[in-house]
C-alpha cells in the first residue's frame, strides 16, 4: 500500500538535507531497490531515479500540491509536467511526458495506483497505459506522451496516488521511476466565509484529540522577518493554496490567519446527499521566535491531518 505522502511532504525541508546518505525508501517517491540511478544492465536490473534529482523532485511535488501546473519531475532524459484543476469532488489531471533524451524512449508506460478513495478514469497516448511490459508506446526525441485522468474523491484521505513511469533507452537500459501525483485533500476544498461568532462556535465544537491537529513550524532560514507583509503571504497560502475562505474579524491580532472550507466528496448518504466535511484552519505567528503554529480542526481525523501537513510545507516554501 502507498506511503502517506502528505506526511512525506511535511518532512521535505529536513529530508532534503540528508541526501549525502544512502537512498532508503524515499517517502515522496519510494525507491524499490535503493538505486542511486546508476545504470545496471545485468540480470535485468532497472535504473532508478538519480540521487541528485531527489531534492528538486520533492520540492516540485510540494509546489504542485497548491499550484495548478508545473514540472513534477525532470532529469537528463525525461520531463514530467502536470496541469490539474478541480471543481467540488471532481478533478481533471493532465500529465505530459517529454523526451529530453538524444534518442527515442521505447516501451514507455505509466501505471497509476488504484486507491479506495478515488474513482479514476484514464486515457492516454496509445500504448501508454499498457499493463504488459512488452507493450507501451514510443516517445520520439522532443515529443510527448500524454495522459488524462478524470478523478472523483469518495472519502477523506491523507496520501497521494502513486504513478510508476517505465521505459527503455536505445542501448537497452530499463528505467523505472516511482513518482506521486499531487492529488491531495486540499485539491477538493471549497472556501467558506464565516462570521466571527459562527467561526468560534464551530471551532469550540470541534475540540478533541481526534478532530484537531497542531504543529509548530519554523519560517525558512532565508525568510525575512515576520511582519504584516509576511502575514499577507501566509493569508494567500490559506486562501489560494489551501482553498480556504478567509474569515474576516476572526483574527484577534495581525499575527493570526483563520479560514474555513468544505471538503467535497462524491459519496452519498442514506438520503442521496453528497457527504462533505467542514474544515477550519488557524495559522498563528510568533515573530520573535520566527515560527508559526498551524492548527486544523475537522470532523474527520484524516482531513485534519492532511490540511495541516499541506499548510506546513506551504509555509516552509513561502
Amino acid at each position: 500500500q502507498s506511503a502517506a505522502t502528505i506526511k512525506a511532504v511535511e518532512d521535505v525541508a529536513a529530508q532534503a538535507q540528508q541526501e549525502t546518505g544512502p537512498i532508503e525508501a524515499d517517502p515522496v517517491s519510494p525507491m524499490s531497490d535503493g538505486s542511486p540511478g546508476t545504470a545496471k544492465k545485468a540480470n535485468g536490473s532497472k535504473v532508478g531515479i538519480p540521487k541528485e534529482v531527489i531534492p528538486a523532485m520533492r520540492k516540485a511535488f510540494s509546489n504542485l500540491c497548491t499550484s495548478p501546473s508545473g514540472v513534477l519531475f525532470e532529469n537528463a532524459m525525461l520531463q514530467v509536467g502536470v496541469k490539474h484543476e478541480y471543481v467540488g469532488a471532481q478533478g481533471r489531471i493532465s500529465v505530459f511526458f517529454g523526451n529530453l533524451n538524444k534518442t527515442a524512449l521505447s516501451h514507455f508506460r505509466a501505471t497509476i495506483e488504484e486507491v479506495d478513495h478515488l474513482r479514476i478514469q484514464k486515457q492516454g497516448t496509445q500504448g501508454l497505459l499498457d499493463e504488459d511490459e512488452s507493450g507501451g508506446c514510443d516517445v520520439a526525441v522532443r515529443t510527448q506522451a500524454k495522459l488524462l485522468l478524470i478523478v472523483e474523491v469518495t472519502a477523506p484521505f491523507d496520501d497521494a496516488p502513486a504513478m510508476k513511469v517505465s521505459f527503455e533507452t536505445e542501448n537497452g537500459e530499463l528505467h523505472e521511476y516511482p513518482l506521486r501525483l499531487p492529488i491531495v485533500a486540499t485539491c477538493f476544498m471549497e472556501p467558506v466565509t464565516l462570521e466571527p461568532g459562527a467561526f468560534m462556535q464551530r471551532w469550540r465544537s470541534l475540540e478533541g484529540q481526534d478532530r484537531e491537529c497542531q504543529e509548530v513550524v519554523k519560517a525558512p532560514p532565508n525568510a525575512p522577518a515576520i511582519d504584516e507583509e509576511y502575514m499577507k503571504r501566509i493569508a494567500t497560502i490559506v486562501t489560494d493554496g489551501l482553498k480556504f475562505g478567509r474569515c474576516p474579524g476572526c483574527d484577534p491580532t495581525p499575527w493570526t490567519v483563520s479560514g474555513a472550507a468544505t471538503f467535497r466528496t462524491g459519496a452519498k448518504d442514506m438520503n442521496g446527499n453528497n457527504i462533505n466535511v467542514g474544515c477550519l484552519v488557524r495559522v498563528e505567528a510568533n515573530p520573535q521566535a520566527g515560527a508559526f503554529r498551524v492548527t486544523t480542526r475537522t470532523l474527520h481525523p484524516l482531513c485534519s491531518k492532511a490540511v495541516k501537513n499541506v499548510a506546513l510545507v506551504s509555509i516552509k516554501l513561502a
Side-chain angles (χ1 to χ4, degrees), residues 21 54 74 76 92 107 243 246 264 311 313:
I54 299 289
E74 183 172 356
R92 178 186 177 94
H107 300 295
K243 298 170 68 173
R246 184 80 186 271
R264 298 291 187 187
V313 74

Side-chain angles (χ1 to χ4, degrees), residues 15 19 23-31 54 57-58:
Q15 292 162 346
E19 295 309 317
I23 297 178
E24 305 266 334
D26 174 65
V28 170
S29 183
M31 305 291 285
I54 299 289
M57 184 183 72
R58 289 188 177 124

